[in-house]
Amino acid sequence: MKQILFAGVIGLFLTLVGTPLLIKLLARKGYGQYIRDDGPREHASKRGTPTMGGIAFILATVAAYFLAKVITGYLDPEADAAPTFSGLLVLGLMVGMGLVGFLDDYIKIVKRRSLGLRAKAKMAGQLIVGIGFAVLSLQFADNRGNTPASTKLSFITDFGWTIGPVLFVVWALFMILAMSNGVNLTDGLDGLATGASVLVFGAYTFIGVWQFQESCANAQTLTNPGACYEVRDPLDLAVVASALMGACLGFLWWNTSPAKIFMGDTGSLALGGVLAGLAICSRTELLIAILGGLFVLITMSVVIQVGSFRLTGKRVFRMAPLQHHFELKGWSEVLVVVRFWIIQGICVIVGLGLFYAGWAADK
């Protein structure tokens, strides 16, 4: 449990201190954000703000995870709380997706255009990282036969029939791409995606601790073994989630309005990927659609807008994604962000309520 606390505090400290150093470095190199001409006019003032800020919380998260292991003396592979395959795979997914986003951001900056990597190249990078994660997550069984991921679909636990490794890889890719694009679309206002992500990572910290306490590996000490969780490394996933929560919270200090730095695709793809990874490895794949409800809502607004325009030639919203619709209706940027954070908070409360209700129903 100490690792969870240390990981969160270290992640918070590293981004609070490290992000302004990154801002100075990016500003010195002229790595500023390109602003679309067709966006809200108020965003024109943001042109030139340093981007690729995702580097800060990606590095801080990885460092916080391993430093928490070192400080608590659990770096020994034989220790119970040593780095696990589940934790390392989720971190690897974050770093891999962040690297794809970094290449995209870098090309945008160098070529001074709003589009970075070609669509095919960007998709290829995401597929390589996603397939690698999905395949490896079905390896490394523990002494109970549990691998980091399961070939069964899951909501609050595994359910239904086994879909097999091939369909699982397809399903995992869908989740990774969907969450990455969801966070990417949400990252349109200062602090919006960062603050929303902090709430979801807080939820996964709680879920990991709860699953550890009610793990089937401890079935002999549980009052109701039938309500246990078959998750390979729940406590280590909580450490990862806590490190992410702290790192994103520290980054939010600099990313909130008026933002001194943007996360860029480097950050949004990394956050989306790690959210999907946490859901897959904690066996809460469908629950992430509720816990990350704001990302789903904003993604659906784009789908509805595009579908409506192609079918009828009319737009449902003044502008998509949804946050820009409310900006054009006259809401200030801060008002939109705070109200959307409230929506995300409600989604997290509902998701955790369903998670607990599922456990209570089995008791």
Side-chain angles (χ1 to χ4, degrees), residues 136-168:
L136 290 174
S137 67
L138 294 179
Q139 314 302 318
F140 313 114
D142 62 9
N143 55 11
R144 292 179 56 83
N146 289 323
T147 54
S150 168
T151 54
K152 290 185 177 181
L153 296 178
S154 61
F155 180 48
I156 55 176
T157 57
D158 288 343
F159 69 88
W161 298 280
T162 300
I163 61 175
V166 176
L167 285 179
F168 167 77

Side-chain angles (χ1 to χ4, degrees), residues 2-14 64 68 239 241-247:
K2 291 181 180 178
Q3 288 187 22
I4 296 173
L5 177 60
F6 278 120
V9 172
I10 293 171
L12 173 64
F13 174 78
L14 290 178
V239 175
S242 178
L244 281 160
M245 179 175 62

Side-chain angles (χ1 to χ4, degrees), residues 22-343:
L22 180 63
I23 292 172
K24 291 180 181 179
L25 175 62
L26 295 173
R28 189 180 305 122
K29 291 183 174 293
Y31 290 173
Q33 177 70 33
Y34 182 93
I35 303 298
R36 293 167 46 190
D37 293 329
D38 58 345
R41 287 176 294 179
E42 293 78 6
H43 289 202
S45 62
K46 300 181 181 184
R47 183 174 283 110
T49 301
T51 187
M52 297 194 294
I55 294 172
F57 57 74
I58 291 173
L59 293 179
T61 298
V62 174
Y65 174 82
F66 284 105
L67 284 174
K69 301 288 182 183
V70 173
I71 292 172
T72 55
Y74 289 120
L75 200 58
D76 183 353
E78 300 300 322
D80 292 337
T84 66
F85 287 112
S86 297
L88 295 176
L89 282 173
V90 171
L91 289 174
L93 178 60
M94 176 187 68
V95 173
M97 295 296 288
L99 180 58
V100 175
F102 172 81
L103 294 174
D104 190 48
D105 285 334
Y106 186 78
I107 292 173
K108 289 177 187 176
I109 293 167
V110 171
K111 295 191 175 182
R112 298 290 177 182
R113 60 176 187 172
S114 60
L115 296 176
L117 282 172
R118 299 296 180 187
K120 290 183 179 179
K122 190 173 183 179
M123 179 61 71
Q126 291 176 301
L127 289 176
I128 291 171
V129 174
I131 290 173
F133 168 81
V135 171
L136 290 174
S137 67
L138 294 179
Q139 314 302 318
F140 313 114
D142 62 9
N143 55 11
R144 292 179 56 83
N146 289 323
T147 54
S150 168
T151 54
K152 290 185 177 181
L153 296 178
S154 61
F155 180 48
I156 55 176
T157 57
D158 288 343
F159 69 88
W161 298 280
T162 300
I163 61 175
V166 176
L167 285 179
F168 167 77
V169 170
V170 174
W171 170 240
L173 279 175
F174 170 78
M175 287 189 61
I176 293 167
L177 295 176
M179 289 307 301
S180 296
N181 288 322
V183 177
N184 185 257
L185 291 171
T186 304
D187 183 34
L189 301 182
D190 294 353
L192 179 57
T194 310
S197 298
V198 167
L199 294 172
V200 185
F201 293 135
Y204 270 110
T205 302
F206 170 81
I207 287 173
V209 172
W210 189 272
Q211 288 178 332
F212 172 74
Q213 293 176 339
E214 301 294 329
S215 172
C216 294
N218 305 324
Q220 293 181 348
T221 63
L222 299 179
T223 56
N224 181 18
C228 64
Y229 298 94
E230 283 287 6
V231 177
R232 189 189 192 282
D233 307 299
L235 195 61
D236 206 42
L237 293 177
V239 175
V240 173
S242 178
L244 281 160
M245 179 175 62
C248 286
L249 193 59
F251 180 76
L252 183 61
W253 181 270
W254 306 102
N255 182 233
T256 194
S257 183
K260 299 295 188 293
I261 189 170
F262 300 138
M263 70 169 68
D265 280 16
T266 305
S268 60
L269 294 187
L271 289 182
V274 79
L275 283 171
L278 286 171
I280 291 169
C281 290
S282 65
R283 314 290 172 87
T284 56
E285 294 164 357
L286 298 180
L287 186 64
I288 188 62
I290 300 173
L291 291 172
L294 180 65
F295 304 127
V296 176
L297 178 64
I298 288 177
T299 301
M300 290 307 300
S301 73
V302 175
V303 173
I304 291 170
Q305 184 85 324
V306 173
S308 176
F309 187 76
R310 289 184 177 179
L311 292 174
T312 67
K314 297 181 179 180
R315 293 179 172 86
V316 176
F317 307 105
R318 294 188 180 185
M319 185 177 182
L322 188 61
Q323 62 268 31
H324 299 317
H325 167 78
F326 289 102
E327 277 193 291
L328 295 179
K329 283 178 66 68
W331 291 18
S332 69
E333 180 174 5
V334 173
L335 181 62
V336 175
V337 170
V338 172
R339 286 182 173 173
F340 275 40
W341 281 350
I342 293 172
I343 292 172

